[in-house]
Amino acid sequence: MNYSDWLSRKGLEYRKEILYFADKNTLDIANSYGTPLYVINEQMIRERYRSLKNVLNLEYRNNQINYAVKANSNLSVLKILNSEGASFDCTSMGEVYTCLKAGISSEKIIFTGNMFTDTDFTFAVNNDIFVNLDSLSQLNRLVRVYETFGKEKKGISFRINPEFGAGHHKHTITAGRDIKFGILEEQTIEAYRKAKEAGFEKFGIHQHIGSGVINALDFGKPAEKFISIIEKIIEELDIKFEFIDFGGGLGIPYRPEEEPLDLESYKNLVIKPFLDLVKSKGLGEPIFKIEPGRYLSAESTILLTQINTIKDNGFKLFAGVDAGFNTLIRPTLYNSYHHIIPCDIKGKEQEFEYDVVGPICESGDILGKARKLKKLKEGDHLAILDTGAYGFVMSSPYNSRPRPAEVLINNETVYEIRRAETFDDLLNTQKIPDHLK
Ligand code: LLP
């Protein structure tokens, strides 16, 4: 894919040397709302959802996409996906609460927590949320909570750890014997037997192998293992699965030289084996589920930032910007690459190599290392791409810097969907004991 196609896939193009995003002039947006600023393109979220849904529909009608809320839990993002017909995957009570506040009905939510507390279970049971357990030890506790509140048991599922994982960084690989997630093959029969004995009648099964998987081949082995585990459970326990959930993890091309995830291979390695399983075991029509976060939201968003300082320390050039790892932590935390481009390239020819760095008082506050960019000057604006997943949600007020605003572009109109925090927001949960007043 050539560079301008790669950009236009993400809703970006230069018009008369000014960067446009979702048909809006990025300099105008930065000037109106200030920086740093997360800018979300509504249409992109819809497009990614629809194209993925089409791929699934063509293979198997009874499919469901559960958007992984952790990637971006802004109410407007959730409402957009809800209006497209998505379901939702939540990892905490807070995410479930946010979904409910966004008007999402409880039956569209699955709660895949880990290290569940009884408070989590109570919250789920009282809000009629389906729970996907992560440890055998949690089953009895969940049953007790159902009984305490006299609620009819919803179905149950377990997260399986298929031992083959993948991800863009070792911290985002979620399968393997030494990884905290899910239950290993040896415990699966016991888990479902006990669930049956406890009176559950509806069952699902789930795996998630990791996050940021751009090579579709990585989905092959875990899917094979997962399916072999499902076969064993069916043979031993005569369980009928209502849904089979292959998790999220679908990656996106963060670098211009990367191609989008090969969905054809994904189909062959995940959907086809699922269809074979359904056929060979006569499973009827279980729901084929996946739960992507990044794939649906990452490319919908740019982070606009302004350069405040160009420092030439005689050894290298630094472009100091007003976003830091408080705003976007992925480069610092995972050494992740986010492409960075100028909002205005008028009259700029010569390229220089810059470290694009934030204002946080740590040397690790680097958003882009050794980036070749046309000569930058103080006051210029930059766009940091693909920040719609694990961007704002992982931001913090570190160094007492309030978190930024978020705006949404729809049909060439810009809406503020989150105001920037104020200094008072930073302080208003604190209490001062009497002796310090
Ligand atoms: N399902 C489960 C059970 C998960 O744990 C996750 C992500 C997903 C789905 C969605 O994964 P996705 O499709 O977005 O790859 N902060 C990291 C990513 C951590 C993901 C954790 N779990 C990052 O910035 O790359």
Side-chain angles (χ1 to χ4, degrees), residues 23 39 105 154 159 168 190 200 232 262 347 363 399 424:
D23 291 322
V39 186
S105 61
K154 290 226 146 225
R159 175 176 181 158
H168 68 83
E190 189 187 349
F200 285 99
K232 277 192 202 141
D262 179 2
S363 314
N399 277 193
D424 282 339

Side-chain angles (χ1 to χ4, degrees), residues 68 70 89 112 159 168 172 206 208 211-212 248-250 291-294 330 334 390 394:
K70 60 176 78 69
D89 163 59
T112 300
R159 175 176 181 158
H168 68 83
T172 70
H206 166 265
H208 172 70
S211 189
L250 289 74
E291 44 189 38
R294 187 187 317 265
R330 302 191 70 256
Y334 310 118
Y390 311 107
M394 293 179 79

Side-chain angles (χ1 to χ4, degrees), residues 231-243:
E231 282 174 336
K232 277 192 202 141
I233 299 170
I234 293 170
E235 279 158 21
E236 288 247 353
L237 300 176
D238 190 28
I239 270 183
K240 189 168 171 293
F241 285 112
E242 307 267 319
F243 70 80

Side-chain angles (χ1 to χ4, degrees), residues 1-52:
M1 191 177 292
N2 73 36
Y3 183 53
S4 60
D5 288 347
W6 184 84
L7 285 181
S8 95
R9 220 187 92 85
K10 299 172 191 285
L12 291 154
E13 64 172 325
Y14 284 96
R15 293 186 195 162
K16 296 195 177 133
E17 303 184 301
I18 299 291
L19 182 66
Y20 276 67
F21 180 55
D23 291 322
K24 295 297 285 184
N25 179 323
T26 54
L27 287 178
D28 288 347
I29 301 174
N31 289 329
S32 304
Y33 293 92
T35 55
L37 181 72
Y38 278 97
V39 186
I40 308 175
N41 173 0
E42 174 165 346
Q43 204 48 38
M44 186 63 61
I45 299 176
R46 295 191 185 278
E47 270 173 33
R48 289 293 181 271
Y49 180 84
R50 286 176 198 172
S51 63
L52 191 57

Side-chain angles (χ1 to χ4, degrees), residues 91-107:
T91 195
S92 67
M93 287 188 279
E95 286 187 358
V96 173
Y97 175 82
T98 309
C99 283
L100 295 174
K101 283 281 175 194
I104 294 159
S105 61
S106 57
E107 67 271 19

